Amino acid sequence: MIKLNQTHDVNLTSWVTSANTNSDFPIQNLPFAIFRRKDQNEALRGGVAIGTQVVDLAALAQLNLFSGIAKTALEAARQPTLNALMDLGVEANSALRLSLSKALRVDSPLQAELASTLIPQADIEFGMPCQIGDYTDFYTSVYHATAVGKLFRPDNPLLPNYKWIPIGYHGRSSTIGISGQKFHRPIGQTKAADASAPSFAPCKRLDYELEMGFFVGKSTEMGQQIAIETAEQHLFGVCIFNDWSARDIQAWEYQPLGPFLAKSFASTISPWIVTMEALAPFRAKFTRPESDPQPLPHLSSEHNSEFGGLDIDLSCFIQTQAMHQNKQAMTQLSQSNFKYSYWTPAQLITHHGSNGCSMRSGDLLGSGTQSGPTFEEAGSLLELSKGGKTPITLPNGEKRTFLEDGDTIIMRASCSKQGAVSIGFGEVVATVLPAKA
Ligand code: MN
């Protein structure tokens, strides 16, 4: 795992002054995205956020200011996806981060050149950060797994494998979209408990899931295992991930092979990828209650126990169509933290590769819904509405058990800790459209 270095120094400030106060993107963050200027017929390329601006990495590469592996990484970032940059691995990405950090600091001799590459974030649109070859979703919140298990299997909520292996399923990458996504309510087969046969109709129990998404960095070959000690060398960075879920379709289809069409219709990611290096100040201990089984040796290391977790605050908001029309601000549904995860990112990728499955740069690993130990920390409506039995009331008087057409869900994430500069992930926003006739 990456140690603290000069790029995390709390005393660093940027000549891009908007980065220095109350910004998700101070000089200690430097997350990557794929972007272009709005309404221009431009090529997509890599960018790095600093305050309210984005450094155009294609424009920066043309200036030929960096050298060595930082230059190699910068060249890779000119492409319309970040896959090549991701695949270069930790050393090259770290060198690029250091060069950017130096160039964006107050008193940098490169200020004038860098300033010529800045574009206001207000003037850009995002592309998908990479081509996501494979997408896997995990189930790492024991609180979510227990709450959902109780609804589907009251007598047997947590299955016996849960505490031994990170449970996951292979999802679908073709329908993963970037923040701003609007998608149609899925249609599918569902069966009410008292019905003798299923019916085919628009989903009635549409839900969101508050998750983190981990992007694979350096690829592995088929047959190559990933040791827990070096697992994070194969992770590039983290985004916010909304794994939309059709609970009624899920309940009917999920046994015995797991989620299928209940999940594959849409998922939405935040545009900025916060690197694992930027998260170094926000590492957390990974602990298990003593009464729980400890992970098997291949999923366990001293370093993982001491620093494997991540302290990331997560929050989820709704703005209904009525709120939007009446110009009412979004309202918070819940807040949670990734530190509650039962498994660490290193354990997820180690487990994923443990059978010899190759991991490719740009693959996405969803964390699973990050519900915390209390009711207020539930990461889905399924939990907040107690399985659809108890509607929640919004400040404008509207009620929700599940999502209605026109609802917009907004998720945010940030890290703060004494002795570190707070960083944010921006947000992921997406809206439910009516089912397609
Ligand atoms: Mn999920």
Side-chain angles (χ1 to χ4, degrees), residues 137-138 169 209 211 243 263 368-369:
D137 199 24
F138 285 94
Y169 66 93
E209 292 191 333
E211 305 196 13
D243 178 28
K263 300 280 192 173
T369 310

Side-chain angles (χ1 to χ4, degrees), residues 210 240 313-317 332 334-336 410-413:
L210 175 60
I240 317 167
D313 288 313
L314 306 169
S315 48
C316 183
F317 306 82
Q332 187 166 312
S334 66
Q335 56 183 32
S336 187
I410 304 98
M411 294 173 177
R412 290 182 175 167

Side-chain angles (χ1 to χ4, degrees), residues 387-437:
K389 290 192 186 80
T390 312
I392 56 167
T393 305
L394 304 177
N396 68 350
E398 284 186 280
K399 290 188 190 308
R400 286 291 181 276
T401 44
F402 290 99
L403 296 169
E404 305 282 337
D405 294 343
D407 284 351
T408 296
I409 292 291
I410 304 98
M411 294 173 177
R412 290 182 175 167
S414 59
C415 299
S416 51
K417 187 183 174 182
Q418 217 168 14
V421 174
S422 300
I423 62 170
F425 288 70
E427 60 185 21
V428 57
V429 181
T431 302
V432 181
L433 300 174
K436 247 184 173 165

Side-chain angles (χ1 to χ4, degrees), residues 210-266:
L210 175 60
E211 305 196 13
M212 303 306 299
F214 295 90
F215 284 101
V216 172
K218 195 157 188 52
S219 302
T220 62
E221 300 288 327
M222 261 180 80
Q224 178 187 350
Q225 292 192 328
I226 298 173
I228 183 96
E229 290 82 3
T230 55
E232 286 199 7
Q233 292 178 12
H234 299 280
L235 289 176
F236 176 78
V238 189
C239 69
I240 317 167
F241 184 59
N242 185 347
D243 178 28
W244 303 96
S245 299
R247 301 302 182 192
D248 42 1
I249 298 173
Q250 186 179 357
W252 173 232
E253 75 173 5
Y254 89 105
Q255 287 180 317
L257 289 185
F260 184 33
L261 304 187
K263 300 280 192 173
S264 62
F265 57 92

